[in-house]
Amino acid sequence: MKESSTLLPYLLEWLGRQSRTSVKGLLGRGQVQVNGKPSTHFNTPLNPGDEVFISLEKAPVPFSHPQLKIVWEDDELIVVNKKEGLLSVPDSPSQEHTASFLLSRHVKKTDLRNRIFILHRLDKGTSGLMMFARNRSIQEYLRSNWHAMITRRSYVAVIEGVPEKSEDTIVTYLTENSRMKVFCTGRQQGRKAISHYRVLKSNAACSLIELELETGRKNQIRAQMEFIGHPVAGDPKYGAKTDPGGRLMLHARRLFFRHPATGEEMRFETPIPKRFSELVK
């Protein structure tokens, strides 16, 4: 650097074939360093002797939100850990406080053409792992081959009471009524739902259980737990009479799947929420 200037004019001069928008994109993605430190401001002052480094590899765009954490991100997928209280997707056209909106805003920082595609959902009150596709073809491929690609999905829940069996398989048929509540019905009226559970700990009031899903129907766990007489704590819609944790006590703990681009099995796991363990001592 021989003369005083600011960063954007300097970059435009040295990257003559790049458009102004492309150069600003380099700044926004943290691909420009001044004297060894990333700089994202186009008006950063430059003085004689300053060193400017431009990386051709895209730097990860930082993401921070109190209710959503990105645990994996690549060109095909984003895996997140969602907190309870955050919707997965909007339930009205103007709703913005959702996981999909936050991630859409995040990926557009790299390129305004980027989009997010839903693969599966967690209820607003449910916390834990879920994933989104980065393009339509990945979404369609995973949805079409869901049972082959998902190698393990497990949840933990605090349920009211103690089941008669310490482990069991629940097979029911689910449908939904006009009040948007899923319930168990006959074979002819509903879709088959299969869950495997085992009790991890219990006391006189409640039990901590782990559930492995063989099918992924809407509200499957909540409806089946009500059906066997042990609703998820904090879930009055599905029969709960207690709310010991101040939330729906359901958490998506594990998500294992085969990566649609590489075929590699990806394994993601979160700890059992502290509040869940504290309730069942």
Side-chain angles (χ1 to χ4, degrees):
M1 185 70 207
K2 295 181 179 180
E3 298 179 0
S4 296
S5 179
T6 54
L7 190 53
L8 183 59
Y10 176 82
L11 293 173
L12 290 170
E13 178 182 351
W14 282 95
L15 299 170
R17 295 183 180 180
Q18 298 278 350
S19 68
R20 192 180 187 92
T21 300
S22 297
V23 172
K24 285 187 174 182
L26 292 172
L27 287 167
R29 293 189 294 269
Q31 291 175 250
V32 179
Q33 294 184 12
V34 177
N35 297 326
K37 295 182 179 180
S39 179
T40 58
H41 300 291
F42 67 89
N43 59 351
T44 298
L46 295 179
N47 299 304
D50 285 345
E51 293 184 352
V52 178
F53 174 77
I54 303 167
S55 173
L56 298 179
E57 295 185 2
K58 293 181 180 179
V61 177
F63 177 86
S64 177
H65 191 274
Q67 289 181 290
L68 195 68
K69 179 182 178 182
I70 293 177
V71 297
W72 172 268
E73 181 177 9
D74 61 20
D75 291 338
E76 288 77 31
L77 299 168
I78 297 181
V79 180
V80 299
N81 187 5
K82 182 185 84 70
K83 278 201 164 185
E84 73 279 2
L86 181 68
L87 281 167
S88 297
V89 296
D91 55 15
S92 66
S94 61
Q95 201 158 38
E96 295 186 349
H97 189 63
T98 66
S100 60
F101 176 82
L102 294 170
L103 293 176
S104 176
R105 189 169 62 182
H106 166 66
V107 300
K108 287 181 184 297
K109 290 179 181 177
T110 304
D111 189 325
L112 289 174
R113 295 169 296 181
N114 286 342
R115 296 175 63 192
I116 287 295
F117 298 87
I118 187 73
L119 288 169
H120 63 115
R121 307 181 186 199
L122 295 180
D123 295 329
K124 181 179 180 180
T126 303
S127 56
L129 294 166
M130 62 183 302
M131 65 174 169
F132 294 81
R134 294 287 302 267
N135 61 69
R136 178 74 71 185
S137 63
I138 291 294
Q139 180 198 41
E140 291 175 351
Y141 179 77
L142 279 171
R143 282 188 163 180
S144 298
N145 300 277
W146 189 255
H147 294 296
M149 300 299 287
I150 303 300
T151 56
R152 188 176 186 185
R153 281 179 74 189
S154 70
Y155 290 69
V156 287
V158 175
I159 58 173
E160 295 182 343
V162 182
E164 182 179 343
K165 297 180 179 180
S166 60
E167 57 182 277
D168 199 6
T169 295
I170 306 172
V171 182
T172 61
Y173 295 85
L174 302 179
T175 189
E176 189 172 1
N177 64 24
S178 60
R179 299 188 301 277
M180 307 294 286
K181 181 179 177 179
V182 176
F183 64 96
C184 299
T185 185
R187 181 190 299 263
Q188 302 302 320
Q189 293 79 35
R191 302 178 69 192
K192 192 173 186 178
I194 304 173
S195 302
H196 310 277
Y197 79 82
R198 66 185 181 99
V199 177
L200 301 178
K201 292 191 296 183
S202 61
N203 57 30
C206 57
S207 301
L208 176 66
I209 65 170
E210 182 173 45
L211 300 113
E212 303 279 347
L213 298 191
E214 196 168 315
T215 57
R217 310 300 183 202
K218 179 181 178 181
N219 291 172
Q220 175 173 321
I221 292 173
R222 298 167 66 186
Q224 288 186 326
M225 290 300 103
E226 180 184 34
F227 180 72
I228 67 170
H230 297 282
V232 177
D235 192 9
K237 182 176 179 178
Y238 286 88
K241 295 179 173 60
T242 63
D243 185 15
R247 57 160 291 187
L248 176 67
M249 301 298 284
L250 183 60
H251 176 76
R253 187 185 182 195
R254 294 189 184 94
L255 179 61
F256 297 0
F257 60 90
R258 300 200 181 281
H259 196 286
T262 66
E264 177 187 359
E265 186 181 39
M266 311 291 289
R267 296 187 174 193
F268 298 96
E269 183 172 342
T270 59
I272 296 175
K274 184 178 179 181
R275 185 61 176 144
F276 285 38
S277 299
E278 289 175 342
L279 284 171
V280 190
K281 290 184 177 179

